[in-house]
Amino acid sequence: MQSPKYYEFLGRPKMISGKRALEQIPLELEGYGAGRPLILAQSKAGSGGPAGTIIRALYDSNLVIGALYDGAIAGSTSGIVSELAGLYMARKCDSIIAIGGGALVDVAKCVNIEVTVKKPPLQLAGEGRITRELKPMVLVPVALVSGNEAANRTFIDGMAVISDFLSPDIVAIDHRMTKIAESDAMLFAGMIALAHAVEASISATANPMIDAYAYASIRLLCGHLPAAVKKPSNKKSSVAVANAASFAATAFSNAPAGMTHYLAEALADGTGINPGISMGLLVRSLLKARMADKKGVREELCLALAGPELFSSRQESARTQAAVDALEGIFNELGGLMPGSLKELGVAQDRLKETVRAAVKASPSKLPEKECMDILSRAWEGK
Amino acid sequence: MNYDSYPEIKPGRKTIKRIYIAVMLFIVGRAIQAAGRMDKTVRKEFQNLKDDFVFALGVHPHGPWMVVGRDTKGRARYLGWNPEGKKIPLKMSIKNVESAILVFTFQESTSVAFARNRFVVDGDLIDALAVVRVLDLVEVYLLPKLIAALAVKRYPKWSELSPVRKHIGRVAIYTRALLGF
């Protein structure tokens, strides 16, 4: 490993994972001087639902739940954010607990912006426009399906708001929550985490901290993703995938979004295909393309994908192949649960050019159009 | 949005679990006092502590607690369940009832719970580690080997605590703990 000449890294959020992790939330919030959270949950309160579980977990604490919103949230829009910000203010809440993933967490972050900065979050769309700490926020993952939940960004009305202050303060991963995720959600979360971790690791800004987070994320995914997708109620595997997704999100927060991210987002906008699935296919094609070009892949990433035993048993020149084989191994283990190509998903070949153009346009850095097309074509063919 | 549909919720109490923990703390507290008289290692640990040393072990934020101190002769003394109004240089709180249940049902040993950050220590960490060593030994005396092995960091070898000494100590500690002397 080379010592970097210069780098910056923000290791946020604090992770609490494992048995009785939810019960640690009250004391953690006390540490922030908070004790009256607004809770946003993914389903209606009931003895078996996440809302019921979190209420029971908060028993015997100094904490009072200011309000519990347990309605469905279809998307992160100004309307729902404004209503929930009103609820937060009316109940004199001082913190937010978001249970779930996807749009619900985007909404929770936007509510946090609105109640702290006192401006509609849409006005702060863009990067680095929030300049102060927000209210304490706890994320309790079920499945981190968008890859942004534990990262430094949120979306409102289709616009991204990016700021270091948007990473949750605490991520509490508990099997009582992760085991209720559905198989599809687990697959999307795992594939997005894999793509984000791989892309952060091969980005120009990669540094030892990004490598450490990416390594942990990729190793957990290699070991647990197929089992978690096949049986999300498997406590050990579902917790491992939630951890991997959180680590990948932190790596992603500290590196620029890469080619597969923008291509998958553009494809999702054009076709409605979940970006998780296409990111998974694209990242596999990206690594294969690099191997074919003899560009190779960084040793650190080979180690993460192949694992220490396989990595150390191979010659230096064969390590990229070992890494690609290991990645292929995950896809093989997933079998029919993971499509083999974009073609299988019904993407028309003539849509690829349009997708590349949209991705290049969306990316703030100049994406190499030719390389994007090559990778997208490979993913379309399943190569 | 009708805000009245989303009322304030005051989380309840886990009464049965708290009663169980209170009973365990009472037994362990009295057993520490008894072990301080019966076991030379426990006695030595207390003699090495400061004269006015008192520690409270309990559950954050509403208890229950046990308070144990060192008397003027350097012996351990159980000072009851209420830390209120006492000068306590070392307060060891388990962060919540569920973490305390993990410890007191021996699903997690004290040292593992410490390592997993389930305790908040307010006081001298060196004294806290002495208390953990004492707790480990008391558990070895109180519990059958099968359970104690789960509760302590390392179960003592024969050379450190012979079965004869252990069984005699166990009877004596239980007797003293029940009678409170």
Side-chain angles (χ1 to χ4, degrees):
Chain A
M1 179 183 289
Q2 284 191 335
S3 173
K5 284 182 183 155
Y6 177 84
Y7 77 95
E8 292 181 10
F9 183 87
L10 177 65
R12 192 167 158 169
K14 174 177 181 174
M15 303 284 301
I16 304 174
S17 173
K19 212 172 193 178
R20 304 291 176 229
L22 296 178
E23 277 79 1
Q24 309 296 333
I25 293 172
L27 197 67
E28 293 295 331
L29 284 178
E30 253 180 60
Y32 286 95
R36 205 178 157 79
L38 166 70
I39 299 183
L40 306 180
Q42 244 179 348
S43 71
K44 291 198 172 184
S47 56
T53 306
I54 191 78
I55 292 172
R56 281 193 300 281
L58 302 180
Y59 274 20
D60 268 304
S61 69
N62 286 330
L63 203 139
V64 173
I65 299 168
L68 169 67
Y69 180 83
D70 53 14
I73 292 177
S76 179
T77 58
S78 296
I80 185 79
V81 168
S82 161
E83 286 189 341
L84 287 171
L87 179 61
Y88 180 103
M89 306 291 262
R91 291 270 172 266
K92 295 185 171 64
C93 297
D94 56 15
S95 48
I96 298 175
I97 301 176
I99 306 166
L104 179 132
V105 181
D106 283 338
V107 168
K109 289 181 182 181
C110 289
V111 169
N112 203 354
I113 296 170
E114 189 153 334
V115 298
T116 312
V117 188
K118 314 281 184 206
K119 276 184 189 172
L122 201 55
Q123 281 185 18
L124 299 165
E127 193 163 354
R129 297 188 62 193
I130 299 170
T131 53
R132 52 180 287 201
E133 279 289 347
L134 304 178
K135 303 284 182 196
M137 182 182 160
V138 180
L139 167 64
V140 180
V142 174
L144 302 180
V145 289
S146 76
N148 298 319
E149 295 93 336
N152 62 349
R153 62 197 63 205
T154 184
F155 286 85
I156 183 156
D157 296 332
M159 301 291 286
V161 186
I162 303 173
S163 163
D164 284 346
F165 301 113
L166 279 172
S167 295
D169 296 285
I170 297 154
V171 174
I173 300 173
D174 192 302
H175 69 79
R176 286 169 286 176
M177 294 299 182
T178 55
K179 72 176 183 181
I180 60 175
E182 287 170 359
S183 183
D184 283 356
M186 198 64 86
L187 179 65
F188 302 157
M191 283 297 157
I192 287 186
L194 185 65
H196 281 167
V198 168
E199 285 218 302
S201 185
I202 57 175
S203 73
T205 56
N207 60 55
M209 292 303 294
I210 287 180
D211 286 339
Y213 276 79
Y215 178 87
S217 177
I218 293 168
R219 288 313 305 146
L220 283 170
L221 290 168
C222 288
H224 297 278
L225 182 60
V229 174
K230 284 174 191 163
K231 195 180 172 196
S233 60
N234 180 329
K235 294 174 188 174
K236 202 173 155 188
S237 298
S238 64
V239 165
V241 172
N243 268 286
S246 301
F247 297 154
T250 305
F252 178 57
S253 297
N254 285 279
M259 198 184 298
T260 65
H261 177 88
Y262 286 111
L263 285 171
E265 293 289 345
L267 204 57
D269 288 343
T271 62
I273 292 171
N274 184 281
I277 298 290
S278 38
M279 260 189 234
L281 294 170
L282 285 161
V283 84
R284 181 179 65 171
S285 299
L286 173 73
L287 290 183
K288 283 183 175 177
R290 289 199 165 214
M291 198 174 69
D293 284 355
K294 297 195 174 138
K295 271 187 188 170
V297 177
R298 290 178 66 222
E299 289 266 287
E300 286 80 0
L301 182 57
C302 291
L303 173 65
L305 283 164
E309 280 177 30
L310 193 58
F311 178 86
S312 54
S313 69
R314 295 291 171 89
Q315 294 281 332
E316 203 176 323
S317 56
R319 284 173 181 165
T320 304
Q321 180 67 55
V324 173
D325 289 348
L327 186 61
E328 200 68 64
I330 301 180
F331 281 72
N332 291 340
E333 268 191 75
L334 286 166
L337 296 166
M338 177 74 191
S341 67
L342 293 175
K343 189 163 57 174
E344 255 181 57
L345 286 165
V347 178
Q349 197 171 10
D350 54 8
R351 186 167 274 283
L352 302 186
K353 268 189 185 170
E354 198 184 314
T355 304
V356 169
R357 272 199 295 272
V360 171
K361 199 177 163 195
S363 167
S365 59
K366 198 168 165 24
L367 289 179
E369 209 167 322
K370 200 177 157 198
E371 197 180 349
C372 285
M373 193 62 207
D374 175 42
I375 288 160
L376 194 59
S377 304
R378 282 171 173 272
W380 188 80
E381 289 172 45
K383 285 201 238 168
Chain B
M1 179 183 280
N2 179 10
Y3 295 158
D4 293 337
S5 309
Y6 306 99
E8 173 186 298
I9 299 169
K10 285 190 176 134
R13 293 283 173 100
K14 296 177 175 174
T15 310
I16 293 171
K17 286 181 177 172
R18 291 183 63 200
I19 290 171
Y20 172 79
I21 296 163
V23 170
M24 291 299 284
L25 286 171
F26 174 76
I27 294 168
V28 171
R30 299 260 288 230
I32 290 174
Q33 176 176 298
R37 283 151 180 77
M38 298 303 304
D39 184 277
K40 62 182 179 194
T41 315
V42 175
R43 197 182 312 136
K44 205 175 161 194
E45 289 283 7
F46 269 89
Q47 277 167 354
N48 289 340
L49 295 164
K50 291 181 199 86
D51 285 348
D52 58 349
F53 177 78
V54 177
F55 80 89
L57 172 66
V59 184
H60 179 85
H62 303 301
W65 295 92
M66 75 166 184
V67 186
V68 175
R70 176 194 190 273
D71 65 14
T72 47
K73 290 177 186 165
R75 294 180 305 187
R77 181 162 288 281
Y78 176 64
L79 301 173
W81 56 270
N82 189 2
E84 291 294 316
K86 294 186 178 79
K87 193 183 162 201
I88 298 171
L90 176 65
K91 201 168 182 183
M92 295 164 66
S93 325
I94 303 177
K95 285 182 175 175
N96 50 64
V97 171
E98 289 300 333
S99 295
I101 284 289
L102 291 178
V103 173
F104 289 111
T105 54
F106 316 111
Q107 294 176 64
E108 261 180 24
S109 69
T110 320
S111 50
V112 167
F114 241 91
R116 289 184 178 167
N117 213 11
R118 295 200 192 271
F119 280 83
V120 176
V121 177
D122 183 4
D124 193 336
L125 194 59
I126 295 168
D127 292 345
L129 294 176
V131 169
V132 171
R133 287 195 294 274
V134 168
L135 285 171
D136 269 10
L137 252 177
V138 167
E139 281 167 357
V140 168
Y141 278 118
L142 289 181
L143 304 167
K145 186 176 177 180
L146 201 69
I147 300 171
L150 300 172
V152 301
K153 188 175 179 182
R154 186 179 60 83
Y155 198 85
K157 291 175 188 165
W158 276 34
S159 56
E160 293 163 314
L161 183 68
S162 72
V164 175
R165 195 181 130 205
K166 183 175 75 183
H167 289 303
I168 292 171
R170 179 174 293 167
V171 172
I173 287 169
Y174 264 113
T175 310
R176 279 174 173 267
L178 287 172
L179 300 175
F181 66 97

